[in-house]
Amino acid sequence: MVSPTNFLLQTFLWLALAATAFSLSPNFYHNVCPLALPAIKRVVEAAVHKERRMGASLLRLHFHDCFVNGCDGSLLLDSTSSFETEKNARGNLNSIRGFEVVDQIKAEVDRVCGRPVVSCADILAVAARDSVVALGGPAWKVRLGRRDSTTASRTLADNVLPSASMDLPALINNFKNQGLNKRDLVALSGGHTIGLSQCVIFRNRVYNATNIDTAFAKERRATCPRTGGNTNLAPFDPTPPRFDTAFFKNLVKERGLLTSDQALFSGGSTNKLVETYSRNPDAFWVDFGKSMIRMGNIKPLTGKQGQIHVNCRKVN
């Protein structure tokens, strides 16, 4: 039987989560600046048309922002005398990209709105959705109203961003710490369907793993030597310019590029979900949208918290 104290605590936590979710709204800018979202979409579509890979980069920006103390735009901040930028964290250094596109979006949104009313954190959330749509993926209603952080933490980013070498229990725990479940883990990992990875990240798997298709390993080794070529790129699945289920089909064939990818289909509790997504694009699309909304609700700054940055790289 649940004790009254535990019941009250659980109720409080539920109400706190509910309050967070309901403080954000898809209609937040409808009256303040109805031209904001079309402006973001315009710049994102142009950037993705110019370079298809940019869609994955913008999606990753939102993900890596949200996992470090919430979706607050802190990832965009450059270093100051008070803090070191999260861009220098292990999971970001020399790999996170797309900041120039975010600057372009910010400039265009502020132009059409007449002043800075849209937060950089919200720009990341909308740009992630618009990138997925531009590459043929699902749409979802992005909840808006986030404000921007006045600080950043490289140390926290080092500690909380999931690693490409994680096994399934570590991944499940990492996502649980963010309030996300196993379905969120598998669905959000599916975002790799539009991504590329550097040789230095997947080298160990293609040379040393036992749960890997031998032909696939040989293929990847061709562009990823044992030494050198650290920044050589390889796709997560055969169709990187298209948001589809090829990523999951690869996992079923033991063709996951990263250790953390293949961990999702390695005899564990997420196997069935990977199989479902590999066969049913609609199920993946629906769950991906839901999980993106859940991730976007991680600890946002709202109301009078934080700022609306004039420059996404700097605190006002």
Side-chain angles (χ1 to χ4, degrees):
M1 182 176 178
V2 179
S3 71
T5 302
N6 285 340
F7 175 77
L8 288 172
L9 178 60
Q10 290 172 8
T11 302
F12 173 78
L13 289 172
W14 183 88
L15 289 172
L17 288 170
T20 296
F22 290 122
S23 65
L24 301 179
S25 166
N27 303 319
F28 188 83
Y29 295 108
H30 276 201
N31 295 324
V32 181
C33 183
L35 298 177
L37 268 61
I40 296 174
K41 184 179 181 182
R42 249 188 342 267
V43 179
V44 168
E45 286 180 342
V48 174
H49 179 75
K50 182 179 180 182
E51 183 196 11
R52 303 287 281 180
R53 181 188 172 200
M54 186 54 66
S57 299
L58 293 173
L59 175 60
R60 189 165 181 247
L61 279 177
H62 181 45
F63 175 76
H64 281 219
D65 180 42
C66 289
F67 263 55
V68 184
N69 207 31
C71 311
D72 59 4
S74 61
L75 173 58
L76 304 175
L77 294 173
D78 289 336
S79 293
T80 70
S81 57
S82 303
F83 59 81
E84 183 179 359
T85 178
E86 293 168 17
K87 299 171 187 176
N88 291 342
R90 282 189 299 270
N92 293 330
L93 188 63
N94 297 323
S95 67
I96 204 81
R97 61 195 294 273
F99 300 106
E100 295 79 10
V101 175
V102 174
D103 292 340
Q104 292 169 20
I105 296 170
K106 177 64 172 169
E108 179 63 10
V109 169
D110 287 357
R111 184 188 72 80
V112 300
C113 294
R115 57 194 175 93
V117 294
V118 180
S119 69
C120 300
D122 274 349
I123 285 174
L124 290 183
V126 176
R129 189 268 314 275
D130 291 348
S131 293
V132 169
V133 172
L135 293 173
W140 60 91
K141 288 188 176 181
V142 180
R143 292 175 178 172
L144 302 165
R146 301 169 191 80
R147 289 170 65 85
D148 296 321
S149 176
T150 56
T151 189
S153 175
R154 179 210 167 152
T155 302
L156 184 61
D158 278 333
N159 290 331
V160 302
L161 287 175
S163 161
S165 61
M166 282 183 172
D167 61 13
L168 184 58
L171 287 167
I172 290 172
N173 188 59
N174 181 275
F175 273 62
K176 183 180 179 181
N177 289 338
Q178 301 289 352
L180 302 173
N181 59 34
K182 284 189 282 189
R183 187 173 292 270
D184 297 319
L185 164 63
V186 179
L188 292 173
S189 295
H192 281 173
T193 184
I194 54 173
L196 301 171
S197 181
Q198 295 183 17
C199 166
V200 67
I201 305 298
F202 63 83
R203 176 184 285 122
N204 183 60
R205 171 160 166 77
V206 299
Y207 282 99
N208 300 314
T210 55
N211 62 337
I212 189 169
D213 177 78
T214 53
F216 174 71
K218 183 178 180 181
E219 182 183 349
R220 291 282 75 90
R221 289 173 192 163
T223 55
C224 184
R226 285 187 182 274
T227 56
N230 283 352
T231 58
N232 291 355
L233 296 172
F236 285 99
D237 71 27
T239 56
R242 192 163 67 242
F243 194 97
D244 54 24
T245 60
F247 170 77
F248 296 109
K249 291 176 181 177
N250 258 18
L251 297 187
V252 173
K253 298 174 184 176
E254 293 193 325
R255 286 174 159 248
L257 186 61
L258 307 183
T259 298
S260 56
D261 290 336
Q262 195 59 55
L264 302 176
F265 191 82
S266 57
S269 58
T270 53
N271 267 33
K272 286 186 178 180
L273 199 50
V274 169
E275 288 177 332
T276 297
Y277 291 160
S278 73
R279 296 191 306 262
N280 189 337
D282 290 340
F284 169 47
W285 281 33
V286 169
D287 283 356
F288 185 81
K290 288 179 179 177
S291 292
M292 286 296 293
I293 291 171
R294 283 168 58 83
M295 184 181 76
N297 285 340
I298 297 174
K299 295 171 64 176
L301 300 173
T302 57
K304 295 183 178 180
Q305 299 171 315
Q307 303 176 337
I308 302 297
H309 288 161
V310 176
N311 180 339
C312 289
R313 298 172 185 255
K314 300 178 182 178
V315 175
N316 293 350

